[in-house]
Amino acid sequence: AQKITQTQPGMFVQEKEAVTLDCTYDTSDPSYGLFWYKQPSSGEMIFLIYQGSYDQQNATEGRYSLNFQKARKSANLVISASQLGDSAMYFCAMREGGAGGTSYGKLTFGQGTILTVHP
Amino acid sequence: DVKVTQSSRYLVKRTGEKVFLECVQDMDHENMFWYRQDPGLGLRLIYFSYDVKMKEKGDIPEGYSVSREKKERFSLILESASTNQTSMYLCASTVGGRSYEQYFGPGTRLTVT
């Protein structure tokens, strides 16, 4: 079974509008972490935001927020006020096990969603 | 700033050649990773290392080996390159802490002909 599922191969959004990129995950470990990375066409992976499974509040980093619904096992990324520079591939990823444990920080990635921002 | 560098951005090799991909990080990170990225499959973990000379298989280790002789350097080796190893290879490192955020190198696009 897929541990991380991103069901949207591609998304389009108008500049200045908000967009939500979907991510669902599957784990039986009570301690885990969820990440979003951005990969522009240049290829580098840019860390955007992190949510720990025990975090009480949804994570936010500037225009990025993570809509964490633990019971639904979803961790959607919300980008507010989209900019042309947001056009990129976006990956959701999960670390199973707590930070400091024997997971060593291994990540499992979803398939990715290509976001295109239109002017 | 953390810096993770990879020896080549683009590489073209012939089937059967031995290929070395090198990754260096400058932040004294303990854990290092090699992923391959293919369209529609995301990133898949090939191998990782949590200390010098220590390594563990990831999800797709077949056809690959790794070497970590120094803490800052983690090499991926294709013993006998095949066309199905044509891919983008990404190296990452992490030191732990609250999130174990991974820092990635720029990637090596390998073509095996």
Side-chain angles (χ1 to χ4, degrees):
Chain A
Q2 288 274 27
K3 288 195 174 183
I4 293 280
T5 303
Q6 295 179 252
T7 56
Q8 307 154 315
M11 287 285 285
F12 295 89
V13 66
Q14 208 68 27
E15 195 178 7
K16 298 180 185 161
E17 291 187 352
V19 63
T20 298
L21 305 184
D22 294 342
C23 173
T24 58
Y25 61 92
D26 185 25
T27 181
S28 56
D29 198 318
S31 182
Y32 54 90
L34 297 157
F35 301 76
W36 278 92
Y37 281 85
K38 172 185 178 181
Q39 187 181 44
S41 56
S42 52
E44 78 269 30
M45 294 283 281
I46 302 167
F47 166 73
L48 295 178
I49 198 165
Y50 168 77
Q51 179 87 39
S53 59
Y54 295 119
D55 293 345
Q56 295 296 313
Q57 294 191 325
N58 287 344
T60 59
E61 292 285 348
R63 293 186 299 111
Y64 305 108
S65 60
L66 198 152
N67 184 0
F68 181 46
Q69 298 191 37
K70 201 168 181 177
R72 293 186 175 184
K73 293 189 174 179
S74 77
N76 299 339
L77 177 71
V78 180
I79 306 175
S80 64
S82 297
Q83 301 172 354
L84 295 178
D86 294 334
S87 293
M89 175 77 88
Y90 288 81
F91 289 101
C92 179
M94 175 173 66
R95 181 206 71 235
E96 290 180 281
T102 56
S103 71
Y104 301 113
K106 283 184 297 181
L107 294 180
T108 302
F109 285 82
Q111 308 93 315
T113 296
I114 300 175
L115 176 67
T116 304
V117 180
H118 289 304
Chain B
D1 271 358
V2 176
K3 199 164 177 82
V4 180
T5 57
Q6 295 182 228
S7 48
S8 307
R9 288 302 305 269
Y10 300 93
L11 209 52
V12 180
K13 295 291 181 180
R14 292 196 181 276
T15 302
E17 277 192 82
K18 191 168 186 175
V19 182
F20 292 87
L21 303 182
E22 294 214 314
C23 175
V24 177
Q25 48 92 4
D26 67 356
M27 283 300 291
D28 203 36
H29 285 177
E30 292 158 353
N31 306 333
M32 297 186 74
F33 306 83
W34 275 107
Y35 296 91
R36 66 176 279 175
Q37 180 181 357
D38 299 289
L41 297 177
L43 279 72
R44 293 178 292 166
L45 181 64
I46 304 171
Y47 267 98
F48 71 99
S49 168
Y50 52 90
D51 203 348
V52 174
K53 297 191 187 295
M54 306 305 288
K55 61 187 179 186
E56 283 199 20
K57 294 179 181 178
D59 300 316
I60 51 164
E62 297 79 18
Y64 303 94
S65 62
V66 290
S67 171
R68 193 161 179 207
E69 298 296 318
K70 293 185 177 182
K71 192 173 185 179
E72 68 270 18
R73 190 179 297 268
F74 190 34
S75 301
L76 179 70
I77 303 154
L78 287 65
E79 296 288 343
S80 177
S82 63
T83 54
N84 62 13
Q85 292 178 311
T86 291
S87 187
M88 168 74 96
Y89 290 88
L90 290 157
C91 173
S93 71
T94 184
V95 69
R98 190 182 94 85
S99 70
Y100 265 115
E101 171 195 338
Q102 290 195 10
Y103 297 86
F104 282 83
T108 296
R109 187 165 294 282
L110 173 67
T111 302
V112 183
T113 62

